[in-house]
Amino acid sequence: MSLRLSTVILPYQRWNEGGRSPWTRAEQLGFHSAYTYDHLSWRTFRDGPWFGALPTLTAAAAVTDRLRLGTLVTSPNFRHPVTLAKELISLDDISGGRVTLGIGAGGTGFDATALGQEPWTPRERADRLAEFVPLLDRLLTEDSVSYEGDYYSAHEARNIPGCVQRPRLPFAIAATGPRGLRLAAQYGQAWVTTGDPKLYEEGTPEQSVQAIRGQVDKLTDACAARGRDVQELDKILLTGFTPDRGRPLESLNAFVDFAGRHRELGFTEIVVHWPIADSVFAADEKVFEQIAMEAPAQLR
């Protein structure tokens, strides 16, 4: 099984002052997809420039031709399905059908309180995601939707002509808990994980692989419960949050070894962060480009 290599480009630069070049370069290097975070701000970048995900992806669509584009990930923290659906349909049209929506329950970071609310508990986030995803699925596949739920409503929401991709653009659902995995099994075209966050500080790469294997097993069970073959879902690993941290980007051989171990778990796509100097995502740009150009051939 060949393994696709993708990247995630953080929206921290003005478009005409360096923000555009990673997207065009990502296409030149042959990346399968380029994603961005859908946050209002993020961790150590909070006090610096940070731009919106969907306008950034729209601009990226205008300067690329083949590169798939998407979010890793969008969440209900500050999104509503009705307005999000309209923007996604527009982005899918502008890009010529190259959009993937990464979607998850969100967390307790800055996004969770930016609208003035208290952070939701894990159960509250799961409750909202369980309503958000099915409603968004309807909004992207039906011309007119009315709905009254516990958290979201829609009244004759029109979404004509729908997505370029049919029946809608693909969902890549980030989940490790049972409710999220059930959503991935029912609505996902892909599943996303960053590994087990409990292992990030003191775990080992070997422990991480075992934990991720367990996540894949739970996804397999969730799919079986719906009568679905787990092989129908792409499996995406967003790197940088396992105990390996930045080591896979230190050399071509290190990356091929890392990616190969995860391909054996069934992953079809590995996502690496575009290098950002003086940050947790710092990496040698020459090595990064060598990995982009040479690793996929070694992972076929």
Side-chain angles (χ1 to χ4, degrees):
M1 178 190 301
S2 62
L3 188 67
R4 296 190 294 268
L5 181 57
S6 298
T7 189
V8 59
I9 300 169
L10 300 193
Y12 73 102
Q13 293 177 296
R14 289 189 182 276
W15 189 251
N16 292 319
E17 296 176 6
R20 169 179 174 161
S21 60
W23 298 92
T24 55
R25 185 60 178 153
E27 181 163 88
Q28 292 168 357
L29 290 170
F31 280 107
H32 173 262
S33 297
Y35 302 94
T36 198
Y37 287 3
D38 189 13
H39 291 298
L40 297 174
S41 60
W42 191 76
R43 298 187 186 181
T44 57
F45 293 86
R46 188 185 188 192
D47 293 323
W50 189 270
F51 296 94
L54 296 180
T56 296
L57 292 171
T58 303
V63 297
T64 57
D65 297 309
R66 303 175 306 280
L67 187 69
R68 287 198 63 83
L69 306 165
T71 57
L72 281 183
V73 293
T74 293
S75 82
N77 269 341
F78 61 93
R79 296 289 187 186
H80 190 286
V82 170
T83 52
L84 178 61
K86 183 66 71 174
E87 294 184 0
L88 290 171
I89 287 171
S90 302
L91 176 57
D92 198 49
D93 180 68
I94 291 166
S95 69
R98 291 186 283 134
V99 177
T100 296
L101 179 72
I103 186 168
T108 57
F110 307 124
D111 294 347
T113 56
L115 299 184
Q117 76 270 29
E118 291 296 317
W120 300 323
T121 66
R123 179 170 183 171
E124 288 172 327
R125 294 198 301 272
D127 288 343
R128 282 167 171 78
L129 187 68
E131 193 170 299
F132 193 101
V133 172
L135 177 54
L136 187 60
D137 174 69
R138 289 188 59 197
L139 289 161
L140 293 173
T141 55
E142 300 176 21
D143 289 347
S144 178
V145 175
S146 293
Y147 173 82
E148 291 292 335
D150 293 330
Y151 305 104
Y152 305 104
S153 299
H155 179 67
E156 297 183 0
R158 299 293 202 275
N159 285 300
I160 301 169
C163 295
V164 172
Q165 300 175 87
R166 293 293 181 173
R168 58 158 166 77
L169 54 81
F171 288 177
I173 298 178
T176 55
R179 295 177 68 188
L181 290 171
R182 287 197 294 269
L183 285 174
Q186 183 172 359
Y187 294 99
Q189 285 66 56
W191 167 71
V192 183
T193 185
T194 58
D196 185 343
K198 296 190 294 293
L199 297 174
Y200 179 73
E201 292 293 341
E202 298 182 4
T204 67
E206 291 74 20
Q207 289 173 325
S208 176
V209 168
Q210 289 302 318
I212 293 172
R213 178 178 285 112
Q215 293 175 356
V216 173
D217 289 344
K218 290 177 181 177
L219 176 68
T220 301
D221 291 342
C223 287
R226 288 206 58 82
R228 187 175 184 189
D229 186 348
V230 72
Q231 299 300 323
E232 295 178 11
L233 274 74
D234 283 326
K235 298 164 194 67
I236 302 171
L237 176 65
L238 174 59
T239 65
F241 304 101
T242 66
D244 309 88
R245 304 193 187 189
R247 289 190 291 275
L249 294 181
E250 290 179 355
S251 71
L252 174 62
N253 287 340
F255 180 80
V256 169
D257 178 68
F258 171 86
R261 282 185 280 122
H262 290 85
R263 180 182 60 180
E264 291 175 359
L265 301 181
F267 282 87
T268 56
E269 186 174 343
I270 302 288
V271 184
V272 294
H273 288 81
W274 197 269
I276 302 174
D278 302 318
S279 79
V280 68
F281 302 125
D284 185 302
E285 292 187 10
K286 290 184 179 179
V287 173
F288 180 83
E289 292 203 355
Q290 181 188 23
I291 289 170
M293 291 185 292
E294 299 181 26
Q298 296 191 32
L299 292 164
R300 286 175 185 158

